[in-house]
Amino acid sequence: MMHNAFSRISSVYEKNKNILLPAACIIITVIIAAVVRIVFLFKDDFATGFDGYYYALQVQSLFKNGEILNNDNSIVYPLLACFKLLFGDIVFANKTAVVVLCSLVSVPFFLLLYRMTRSAVISCVSTIIFSISYSQIYMSFEIVKNGISILFIVCFLFCVFEFRKNLYYRIGAAVFFILGFMTHKVTAASMIVFCAVFLPLCAIAYRKTIFQKIKPLYVALGAALLVIAAVAVAFSASTLRVVDLSNLMSQFSTATATKRFAMILTEISDIRIKAEMLFVYGIAAVFMPFLVFILRDKGTTPVHKLFVVALYVTHLVLINPFLYFSWVSMSYRLVVMSIIFASLELALILHFFLPRIPRRIVFAAAGMILLISGITLPGMYDSFHSNRYPPYRDLYAPVMKIPAHLEKNSRLITHSGMSFFIWYETGIYTEHFTPADDTGYYRLVYAFGPPHFKKYEHEPFYETPVVIQPPYYLVKESLWHAFYNDNKDRIKLVKSWQNPWAARPPFVYTVKEKFKTPQNE
């Protein structure tokens, strides 16, 4: 009986393996992506990353004030608010939203790869590698808008790849383009570059037949979609703004190429992160001969060839080495985003070798890459949680005592991460840039305590610094200005990210004036 049962199961599998195997792979990839994010994000009850409390603040404001605190119209905040309605606690809800939405990226990513390669194994392995990559986890951990926007851009790419099948894919491509555009500026820029390459190439390739096949219904639908897109672009004007583009264009320099690679080689201690940063550049060079083969392959349809060309060009634009580069720059986010295209190229390379060398060697190579990705996760976890952002759990009790040390109607300045945390927990308006007018401001200084300010104790602006919890000390902003002017050229830490010294750049979203309410006002 056991033999008969096994035979029946085997027979059912053989008849349905084209559905069962991909479905099983999708379930596996989603579970792995979710488990990894749960481990990374749910270390404790507090938010993660420098911007964790930034997103918590925006959701808090949505429920308290009916709008977010600044002019960022990203649709991520309403999405996060939906999870808050389900789970109550904002920090927990935000983490859950990230786990769910970022893990679901595995579904369209796998489907796109499966359609491109027709290999469930290669698609599954490549999807897992992508979903547990440093770049993907970093976006889930630190820059939530970027992380969630990946779902829309990958769905967009999948629909574009299949757009010739039926009208639903064409509508899907338009919808996901709009959603991606309304989520984050890097996603919007990536999709614009892809379309700027893909659509003209398609128009040229199909110029003889394109007008013969267009039906009046399609024209009407296309016009309607253009109107929707125009409204969406108008609504999301603060998602991709002129000031963002001008800021990016101003950063072009031939001198930055060598500096970028020197920073990757010397400033990243985690070998996994360093390898991935080099991988997104190396795979672009390695993929060039494979791209030539794809273009010459008679078995690949013209539109799919153009799709791969657009993927490759978009990848090259994102990793452009001639942009100013730092770990907090927009160009770094472009590099992080490029993991989408680098992972797709890796899968196509593995697919190229599949019929040409023994399958076990290709699968072994894919498995080895996956194994290395897996065994380096613990080290990456330590890297993410060690000195990467303020220890919110340890600082919670001291932070809650800050309001008692402030004068009525006071505001606060401190570094990024802490500023959002304090504002969220205490309600005190807290800035992480130096304001033009420091009247009514205190500053949470990093690493400079009472002894450093003793020389000013006879000045009229002096007020005894308060020890919050070393290395954090509370001082009046006027007192800090005097200390800053005397020491900015002598002590490096005085002019550092831990002690903000610059005015808010025009491309950084500003807080609406009505929310800059001083404490106890």
Side-chain angles (χ1 to χ4, degrees), residues 460-502:
F461 52 77
Y462 180 80
E463 185 176 295
T464 305
V466 178
V467 179
I468 299 301
Q469 177 170 298
Y472 291 102
Y473 305 89
L474 188 67
V475 303
K476 292 201 75 168
E477 181 65 5
S478 53
L479 177 58
W480 169 257
H481 269 191
F483 179 79
Y484 172 83
N485 290 329
D486 290 343
N487 296 280
K488 62 183 178 181
D489 297 321
R490 298 192 312 108
I491 306 175
K492 186 176 180 180
L493 194 59
V494 170
K495 197 174 181 179
S496 65
W497 71 265
Q498 293 99 326
N499 292 298
W501 54 274

Side-chain angles (χ1 to χ4, degrees), residues 321-517:
F322 301 112
L323 282 175
Y324 167 76
F325 186 82
S326 75
W327 304 121
V328 294
S329 66
M330 186 56 64
S331 59
Y332 177 63
R333 295 197 182 193
L334 296 176
V335 173
V336 169
M337 178 71 79
S338 72
I339 191 65
I340 301 171
F341 306 93
S343 299
L344 293 172
E345 291 162 9
L346 173 64
L348 290 174
I349 291 172
L350 292 173
H351 174 63
F352 172 84
F353 287 112
L354 195 57
R356 291 168 176 80
I357 61 177
R359 296 171 66 89
R360 64 180 181 274
I361 296 179
V362 178
F363 291 157
M368 184 61 68
I369 297 172
L370 181 59
L371 178 63
I372 293 172
S373 297
I375 62 177
T376 54
L377 281 175
M380 194 161 67
Y381 176 90
D382 292 338
S383 175
F384 270 61
H385 287 289
S386 300
N387 301 320
R388 193 180 185 96
Y389 61 94
Y392 300 125
R393 173 181 286 278
D394 298 337
L395 291 169
Y396 175 75
V399 159
M400 297 308 292
K401 297 176 183 177
I402 289 177
H405 299 288
L406 298 180
E407 294 178 356
K408 186 178 180 180
N409 300 336
S410 297
R411 303 174 183 179
L412 194 61
I413 302 169
T414 189
H415 65 72
S416 181
M418 278 294 286
S419 61
F420 306 130
F421 177 52
I422 293 172
W423 193 355
Y424 178 79
E425 295 292 357
T426 67
I428 302 170
Y429 169 63
T430 309
E431 180 63 87
H432 57 279
F433 292 101
T434 300
D437 180 7
D438 65 2
T439 304
Y441 277 94
Y442 279 75
R443 179 180 287 256
L444 193 62
V445 175
Y446 182 88
F448 297 103
H452 295 92
F453 300 96
K454 283 191 72 67
K455 65 175 287 188
Y456 306 102
E457 60 185 354
H458 298 297
E459 299 291 342
F461 52 77
Y462 180 80
E463 185 176 295
T464 305
V466 178
V467 179
I468 299 301
Q469 177 170 298
Y472 291 102
Y473 305 89
L474 188 67
V475 303
K476 292 201 75 168
E477 181 65 5
S478 53
L479 177 58
W480 169 257
H481 269 191
F483 179 79
Y484 172 83
N485 290 329
D486 290 343
N487 296 280
K488 62 183 178 181
D489 297 321
R490 298 192 312 108
I491 306 175
K492 186 176 180 180
L493 194 59
V494 170
K495 197 174 181 179
S496 65
W497 71 265
Q498 293 99 326
N499 292 298
W501 54 274
R504 181 181 291 269
F507 55 85
V508 176
Y509 293 112
T510 58
V511 176
K512 298 170 185 174
E513 287 298 323
K514 61 183 175 182
F515 295 128
K516 295 181 179 180
T517 306

Side-chain angles (χ1 to χ4, degrees), residues 219-267:
V219 174
L221 180 63
L225 289 176
L226 283 175
V227 172
I228 295 172
V231 173
V233 169
F235 174 77
S236 61
S238 61
T239 299
L240 185 61
R241 304 165 298 171
V242 174
V243 67
D244 296 316
L245 297 177
S246 61
N247 174 59
L248 192 63
M249 297 301 293
S250 68
Q251 296 181 6
F252 275 89
S253 171
T254 56
T256 62
T258 54
K259 179 185 176 182
R260 172 180 300 214
F261 294 111
M263 289 174 66
I264 292 173
L265 291 171
T266 61
E267 295 183 16

